[in-house]
Coordinates of all heavy atoms in Angstrom, one line a residue:
Y1 N 117.2 82.5 92.4 CA 117.0 83.9 92.9 C 115.5 84.2 93.0 O 114.7 84.1 92.0 CB 117.8 84.9 91.9 CG 119.3 84.4 91.6 CD1 119.6 84.2 90.3 CD2 120.2 84.3 92.6 CE1 120.8 83.8 90.0 CE2 121.4 83.9 92.4 CZ 121.7 83.7 91.0 OH 123.0 83.3 90.7
K2 N 115.2 84.8 94.1 CA 113.8 85.2 94.3 C 113.5 86.7 93.8 O 112.5 87.0 93.4 CB 113.5 85.2 95.9 CG 113.5 83.8 96.4 CD 113.2 83.8 97.9 CE 113.2 82.5 98.5 NZ 113.0 82.4 100.0
K3 N 114.6 87.4 93.8 CA 114.4 88.9 93.4 C 115.4 89.1 92.3 O 116.6 89.0 92.6 CB 114.5 89.9 94.5 CG 113.4 89.7 95.6 CD 113.7 90.4 96.8 CE 113.6 91.9 96.6 NZ 113.8 92.6 97.9
V4 N 115.0 89.6 91.1 CA 115.9 90.0 90.0 C 115.8 91.5 89.8 O 114.7 91.9 89.6 CB 115.7 89.2 88.7 CG1 116.7 89.7 87.5 CG2 115.8 87.6 89.0
G5 N 116.9 92.2 89.9 CA 116.8 93.7 89.6 C 117.5 94.0 88.3 O 118.3 93.1 87.8
Y6 N 117.1 95.2 87.7 CA 117.6 95.5 86.4 C 117.9 97.0 86.4 O 117.1 97.8 86.7 CB 116.6 95.1 85.3 CG 117.1 95.0 84.0 CD1 116.8 94.0 83.1 CD2 118.0 96.0 83.4 CE1 117.1 93.8 81.8 CE2 118.4 95.9 82.1 CZ 118.0 94.8 81.3 OH 118.4 94.7 80.0
I7 N 119.1 97.5 86.1 CA 119.4 98.8 85.9 C 119.6 99.1 84.3 O 120.5 98.5 83.8 CB 120.7 99.3 86.6 CG1 120.6 99.0 88.1 CG2 120.8 100.8 86.4 CD1 121.7 99.4 88.9
F8 N 118.7 99.7 83.8 CA 118.7 100.0 82.3 C 119.7 101.1 81.9 O 120.1 101.9 82.8 CB 117.3 100.2 81.7 CG 116.3 99.2 82.0 CD1 115.6 99.1 83.2 CD2 116.1 98.2 81.0 CE1 114.6 98.0 83.3 CE2 115.2 97.1 81.3 CZ 114.5 97.1 82.4
Q9 N 119.8 101.2 80.6 CA 120.7 102.3 80.2 C 120.1 103.7 80.4 O 120.8 104.6 80.5 CB 121.1 102.2 78.6 CG 121.9 101.0 78.3 CD 122.2 101.0 76.8 OE1 122.3 101.9 76.1 NE2 122.6 99.7 76.4
E10 N 118.8 103.7 80.3 CA 118.1 105.0 80.6 C 117.2 104.9 81.9 O 116.9 103.7 82.4 CB 117.1 105.2 79.4 CG 115.9 104.3 79.3 CD 116.3 102.9 78.6 OE1 117.4 102.9 78.0 OE2 115.5 101.9 78.8
P11 N 116.9 105.9 82.5 CA 116.4 105.9 83.9 C 115.0 105.3 84.2 O 114.8 104.5 85.2 CB 116.3 107.4 84.3 CG 117.3 108.1 83.4 CD 117.2 107.3 82.1
R12 N 114.1 105.5 83.3 CA 112.8 104.7 83.4 C 112.2 105.2 84.8 O 111.6 104.3 85.5 CB 112.8 103.4 83.3 CG 113.5 103.0 81.9 CD 113.2 101.4 81.4 NE 113.8 101.1 80.3 CZ 113.5 100.0 79.6 NH1 112.7 99.1 80.1 NH2 114.0 99.8 78.4
L13 N 112.2 106.5 85.1 CA 111.5 106.9 86.4 C 110.1 107.2 86.2 O 109.7 107.6 85.0 CB 112.3 108.1 87.0 CG 113.8 108.0 87.3 CD1 114.3 109.2 87.8 CD2 113.9 106.8 88.2
F14 N 109.2 107.1 87.3 CA 107.9 107.6 87.2 C 107.8 109.1 87.2 O 108.2 109.6 88.3 CB 107.0 107.0 88.3 CG 106.9 105.5 88.2 CD1 107.6 104.7 89.1 CD2 106.2 104.9 87.1 CE1 107.4 103.4 89.1 CE2 106.1 103.5 87.1 CZ 106.7 102.7 88.0
P15 N 107.4 109.8 86.3 CA 107.5 111.3 86.3 C 106.6 112.0 87.2 O 106.9 113.1 87.7 CB 107.0 111.7 84.9 CG 106.3 110.5 84.4 CD 106.8 109.3 84.9
W16 N 105.6 111.3 87.7 CA 104.7 111.8 88.7 C 105.1 111.7 90.1 O 104.5 112.0 91.1 CB 103.2 111.3 88.5 CG 103.1 109.9 88.7 CD1 102.9 109.2 89.8 CD2 103.2 108.9 87.7 NE1 102.9 107.9 89.6 CE2 103.1 107.6 88.3 CE3 103.4 109.0 86.3 CZ2 103.1 106.5 87.5 CZ3 103.5 107.8 85.6 CH2 103.4 106.6 86.2
M17 N 106.3 110.9 90.3 CA 106.8 110.6 91.6 C 108.1 111.4 91.9 O 108.8 111.7 90.9 CB 107.1 109.2 91.8 CG 105.9 108.2 91.9 SD 106.4 106.6 92.2 CE 104.9 105.8 92.2
T18 N 108.3 111.9 93.2 CA 109.6 112.5 93.5 C 110.7 111.5 93.4 O 110.4 110.2 93.3 CB 109.5 113.0 94.9 OG1 109.4 111.9 95.8 CG2 108.5 114.1 95.1
A19 N 111.9 111.9 93.5 CA 113.1 110.9 93.5 C 112.9 110.1 94.6 O 113.2 108.7 94.3 CB 114.3 111.8 93.6
L20 N 112.6 110.4 95.8 CA 112.5 109.5 96.9 C 111.3 108.5 96.7 O 111.4 107.3 97.0 CB 112.2 110.3 98.2 CG 112.2 109.4 99.5 CD1 113.5 108.5 99.6 CD2 111.9 110.3 100.7
E21 N 110.3 109.0 96.2 CA 109.1 108.1 95.9 C 109.4 107.0 94.9 O 108.9 105.9 94.9 CB 107.8 108.9 95.5 CG 107.2 109.7 96.6 CD 106.1 110.8 96.2 OE1 106.1 111.0 94.9 OE2 105.4 111.2 97.1
N22 N 110.2 107.4 93.8 CA 110.6 106.4 92.9 C 111.5 105.4 93.5 O 111.4 104.2 93.0 CB 111.5 107.2 91.8 CG 110.6 107.6 90.6 OD1 110.2 106.8 89.7 ND2 110.3 108.8 90.6
V23 N 112.3 105.7 94.5 CA 113.0 104.6 95.2 C 112.2 103.9 96.1 O 112.3 102.6 96.2 CB 114.3 105.2 95.9 CG1 115.0 104.3 96.7 CG2 115.1 105.9 94.9
E24 N 111.3 104.6 96.8 CA 110.4 103.9 97.8 C 109.5 102.8 97.1 O 109.0 101.9 97.9 CB 109.6 104.9 98.6 CG 110.4 105.7 99.6 CD 109.6 106.7 100.3 OE1 108.5 107.1 99.7 OE2 110.0 107.3 101.3
C25 N 109.2 103.1 95.9 CA 108.1 102.1 95.3 C 108.5 100.7 95.0 O 107.8 99.9 94.9 CB 107.6 102.7 93.9 SG 109.0 102.5 92.6
V26 N 109.9 100.4 95.4 CA 110.3 99.1 95.3 C 110.8 98.6 96.7 O 111.2 97.4 96.9 CB 111.5 98.9 94.3 CG1 111.0 99.3 92.9 CG2 112.7 99.6 94.8
C27 N 110.5 99.5 97.7 CA 111.1 99.2 99.0 C 110.2 99.6 100.1 O 109.8 100.8 100.1 CB 112.5 99.9 99.1 SG 113.2 99.8 100.8
D28 N 109.9 98.7 101.0 CA 108.9 99.1 102.0 C 109.5 99.8 103.1 O 108.8 100.5 103.9 CB 108.2 97.8 102.6 CG 107.4 96.9 101.6 OD1 106.7 97.7 100.8 OD2 107.2 95.8 101.7
D29 N 110.9 99.8 103.3 CA 111.6 100.5 104.4 C 112.0 101.8 103.8 O 112.8 102.0 103.0 CB 112.8 99.6 104.6 CG 113.6 100.2 105.8 OD1 113.4 101.4 106.2 OD2 114.2 99.5 106.5
K30 N 111.2 102.8 104.2 CA 111.4 104.1 103.8 C 112.7 104.8 104.2 O 113.4 105.5 103.4 CB 110.2 105.2 104.2 CG 108.8 104.8 103.7 CD 107.8 105.8 103.9 CE 106.5 105.5 103.2 NZ 105.5 106.6 103.4
Q31 N 113.2 104.4 105.4 CA 114.5 104.9 105.8 C 115.6 104.2 104.9 O 116.6 104.9 104.6 CB 114.8 104.4 107.3 CG 116.0 104.9 107.9 CD 116.3 106.4 107.8 OE1 115.3 107.1 108.0 NE2 117.4 106.9 107.5
K32 N 115.6 102.9 104.6 CA 116.4 102.4 103.7 C 116.5 103.1 102.3 O 117.5 103.3 101.8 CB 116.2 100.9 103.5 CG 117.1 100.1 102.7 CD 116.6 98.8 102.3 CE 116.2 97.9 103.4 NZ 115.7 96.5 103.1
A33 N 115.3 103.3 101.8 CA 115.2 103.9 100.5 C 115.9 105.4 100.6 O 116.6 105.6 99.5 CB 113.7 104.2 100.2
R34 N 115.7 106.1 101.6 CA 116.3 107.5 101.7 C 117.8 107.3 101.8 O 118.6 108.1 101.3 CB 115.7 108.1 103.0 CG 116.3 109.6 103.1 CD 115.6 110.2 104.2 NE 114.2 110.5 104.1 CZ 113.6 111.5 103.5 NH1 114.6 112.5 102.9 NH2 112.3 111.8 103.3
E35 N 118.3 106.3 102.5 CA 119.8 106.0 102.7 C 120.5 105.8 101.3 O 121.4 106.3 101.0 CB 120.0 104.9 103.7 CG 119.6 105.3 105.1 CD 119.9 104.1 106.1 OE1 120.0 103.0 105.5 OE2 119.6 104.3 107.2
Y36 N 119.8 104.9 100.5 CA 120.3 104.6 99.2 C 120.3 105.9 98.4 O 121.3 106.1 97.6 CB 119.6 103.5 98.6 CG 119.9 102.1 99.1 CD1 119.1 101.3 99.7 CD2 121.2 101.6 98.7 CE1 119.5 100.0 100.1 CE2 121.6 100.4 99.1 CZ 120.7 99.5 99.8 OH 121.1 98.3 100.2
L37 N 119.3 106.6 98.4 CA 119.3 107.8 97.5 C 120.2 108.8 97.9 O 121.0 109.4 97.1 CB 117.8 108.4 97.7 CG 117.6 109.7 96.7 CD1 117.8 109.4 95.3 CD2 116.3 110.2 97.0
N38 N 120.5 109.0 99.2 CA 121.4 109.9 99.8 C 122.8 109.5 99.5 O 123.7 110.4 99.2 CB 121.2 110.0 101.3 CG 120.1 110.9 101.7 OD1 119.6 111.7 100.9 ND2 119.6 110.6 103.0
L39 N 123.1 108.1 99.3 CA 124.4 107.7 98.9 C 124.8 108.2 97.4 O 125.9 108.5 97.2 CB 124.4 106.2 99.0 CG 124.8 105.5 100.3 CD1 124.7 104.0 100.2 CD2 126.2 105.9 100.7
L40 N 123.8 108.1 96.6 CA 123.9 108.4 95.2 C 123.6 109.9 94.7 O 124.1 110.3 93.8 CB 123.2 107.4 94.3 CG 123.8 106.1 94.5 CD1 122.8 104.9 94.1 CD2 125.1 105.8 93.6
L41 N 122.6 110.4 95.3 CA 122.2 111.8 94.9 C 121.5 112.4 96.3 O 120.3 112.6 96.3 CB 121.1 111.8 93.9 CG 120.7 113.0 93.1 CD1 122.0 113.5 92.3 CD2 119.5 112.8 92.1
P42 N 122.4 113.0 97.1 CA 121.8 113.7 98.2 C 121.1 115.0 97.8 O 121.3 115.5 96.8 CB 123.0 114.0 99.0 CG 124.2 113.9 98.1 CD 123.8 113.0 97.0
D43 N 120.3 115.4 98.7 CA 119.5 116.7 98.6 C 118.5 116.7 97.4 O 118.4 117.6 96.8 CB 120.4 117.9 98.6 CG 121.4 117.9 99.8 OD1 120.8 117.7 100.9 OD2 122.5 118.2 99.5
S44 N 118.1 115.5 97.0 CA 117.2 115.4 95.9 C 115.9 114.7 96.1 O 115.1 114.6 95.2 CB 117.9 114.7 94.8 OG 118.1 113.3 95.1
A45 N 115.5 114.4 97.4 CA 114.4 113.6 97.6 C 113.1 114.1 97.2 O 112.2 113.3 96.8 CB 114.4 113.3 99.3

């Protein structure tokens, strides 16, 4: 496997980043990042 992802029991978000920026930091495609966030937590970007 080239890429291994991990979802921990606790969120481990960067406090100085918005919700969308936290998702974008692992993904170069900003539209894709927004789509995943909207699937799980809309209106929170």
Side-chain angles (χ1 to χ4, degrees):
Y1 309 118
K2 294 180 180 179
K3 297 166 68 177
V4 178
Y6 200 135
I7 303 175
F8 297 89
Q9 291 184 26
E10 65 283 342
R12 302 194 181 192
L13 302 179
F14 296 114
W16 59 87
M17 291 183 176
T18 64
L20 181 58
E21 289 170 342
N22 266 281
V23 179
E24 288 176 341
C25 73
V26 301
C27 174
D28 293 331
D29 187 335
K30 293 189 176 183
Q31 181 58 35
K32 183 195 298 179
R34 187 177 290 274
E35 288 173 359
Y36 278 116
L37 182 61
N38 284 339
L39 273 175
L40 290 159
L41 192 65
D43 305 318
S44 64

